[in-house]
Each structure stands twice: as structure tokens, then as C-alpha cells.
Amino acid sequence: MIAYIKGEIAEITEDNLVLEANRIGYNIKISTGTAGRLPAVGEEVKIYTYTYVREDAFLLYGFLTKDDLEIFKKLITVNGIGPKGGLAILSVMTADDLRFAVMAGDAKAIAKAPGVGMKTAERVILDLRDKVSMEDTFIHREAAQANTDAGENDRAAVARKEAVEALAALGYSSTDALKAVKQVEIAEGMEAEEILKQALKRML
């Protein structure tokens, strides 16, 4: 119903944002992860929203990126995971962390979310396994965008993707490869070979 709201931050708590737009203050439910990434009160921000309507409430759930919103939408399709549960999971892990956990079958990581037990976490993995992929992760999205540009940052994105693919060719799982490469601090001009060496150190 409401795709996004762009306005000034009036108030932030660990689970709620009041965003003022056109002299209206919107109460928006957010994860603690989103709360920690928001700019300061008084700053302008664009929040992507999901509208949840039930008999006794009309609620808005907010996210800083479309990616976070899309993974939230996938989460709430899982039986037993409502909007509150979806936010709880995204409070303890990023969208990419959740994808890694699903692809690796890591129910323990998902079960760290408040109110989410092992059975529910296993259901999340079962239901989302066919709905997420390595190509959806940040590194692969970034590298795909780089194919249309030639800047330094874009070359780094391609180098990271090549390093992930090299690790996978060495027998490491896609999930472990992605995690290791994400941990490498990319210096200017760093090639895939050097990223691979640094990532391998983190695999040992």
C-alpha cells in the first residue's frame, strides 16, 4: 500500500521509528539492526515499508533497503513467523546472514532471534531454501552492477566475486566462501588472487 516514506526522523527507539513527512508523524516498527543504522534525529531518511493490516491494528514495518524489505516478506510467508518474528530475526542477523544460514542449514544461527525456537528456525530453512540463492547476496549483486561500469569500486566487486568462485572451486561451500570474502578488507587495486589468499587465511 505504501512503498516508502521519506521524511525527517522525529524519534528512534530500539524497535520503533517516528518519521515525520508532510506534517504527519508515522509510527514505523523496525528491527534493532535498522535502528542502529539510522541517521540521527532531525536527519532525513527514506524508509521502505510493509503495511500489515489486521482487525484491531494498522501497522507499518520499515527497512532501510529494498533488500531488507524483500527478505522480510519472504520470512513472513513461513508458518509461525509473523511480522514480529521477522523483525526479531533481522535484529540478530542481516539479510545476507540469513541467506547464508538458510543455504548452510544453520538453524542455530536463526534460533538466536528472540522468540524463535529451533523448530521454527528449521521451518524457516525448509521454506526459504528454494527462495534464496548465492546470487542474491551483496557480493553478487555488487559484481553484477559492476559489469556496466569500470570504476575502482566496481573492479573490486568483480574481484570479490571471482575470489568467491575460486574458493568454491577449491571445494569450500558457497556460504563459507561468501563469509570469508566479506571479511576481507579490500585495498585499492587489490586483485582476486590477493583477496583469495586473505580469505583462505580466514578459512583455516
Side-chain angles (χ1 to χ4, degrees):
M1 182 178 291
I2 301 173
Y4 65 84
I5 301 172
K6 187 174 183 180
E8 181 180 300
I9 297 175
E11 182 183 329
I12 306 171
T13 66
E14 66 177 13
D15 62 358
N16 194 76
L17 164 69
V18 178
L19 192 64
E20 182 177 343
N22 298 320
R23 299 184 180 181
I24 299 174
Y26 294 90
N27 268 312
I28 303 172
K29 299 293 182 183
I30 57 175
S31 69
T32 55
T34 295
R37 303 200 315 270
L38 285 169
V41 170
E43 297 291 326
E44 187 175 81
V45 70
K46 182 178 183 179
I47 298 293
Y48 295 93
T49 58
Y50 174 82
T51 305
Y52 180 65
V53 180
R54 62 188 190 198
E55 289 184 1
D56 60 344
F58 182 96
L59 303 173
L60 288 175
Y61 291 83
F63 308 89
L64 281 169
T65 68
K66 284 185 177 180
D67 186 45
D68 287 343
L69 173 60
E70 291 308 312
I71 203 72
F72 174 79
K73 287 180 178 179
K74 287 183 172 69
L75 270 172
I76 61 177
T77 65
V78 178
N79 186 31
I81 298 288
K84 185 177 180 180
L87 280 191
I89 291 173
L90 293 177
S91 289
V92 299
M93 59 197 339
T94 66
D96 275 351
D97 288 339
L98 177 59
R99 291 189 183 97
F100 297 154
V102 169
M103 289 186 288
D106 188 357
K108 287 184 178 179
I110 300 172
K112 290 179 181 178
V116 178
M118 281 296 294
K119 286 186 177 180
T120 301
E122 289 168 356
R123 191 179 303 123
V124 169
I125 291 170
L126 183 64
D127 288 3
L128 297 190
R129 184 164 283 158
D130 295 331
K131 298 179 182 179
V132 301
S133 68
M134 187 172 70
E135 285 69 28
D136 291 331
T137 62
F138 173 76
I139 288 174
H140 284 260
R141 291 194 305 273
E142 189 182 46
Q145 178 62 36
N147 289 332
T148 62
D149 299 296
E152 184 62 38
N153 290 338
D154 302 311
R155 287 194 291 272
V158 173
R160 281 194 289 268
K161 179 174 181 291
E162 291 175 352
V164 170
E165 291 171 346
L167 285 169
L170 290 173
Y172 293 101
S173 72
S174 297
T175 301
D176 289 341
L178 283 163
K179 286 183 177 179
V181 170
K182 280 188 70 176
Q183 292 172 14
V184 176
E185 185 174 344
I186 309 298
E188 185 176 343
M190 187 179 284
E191 299 292 337
E193 183 178 356
E194 181 59 29
I195 297 173
L196 175 61
K197 290 178 181 177
Q198 294 294 328
L200 279 169
K201 292 179 182 178
R202 290 162 171 77
M203 306 289 275
L204 301 175

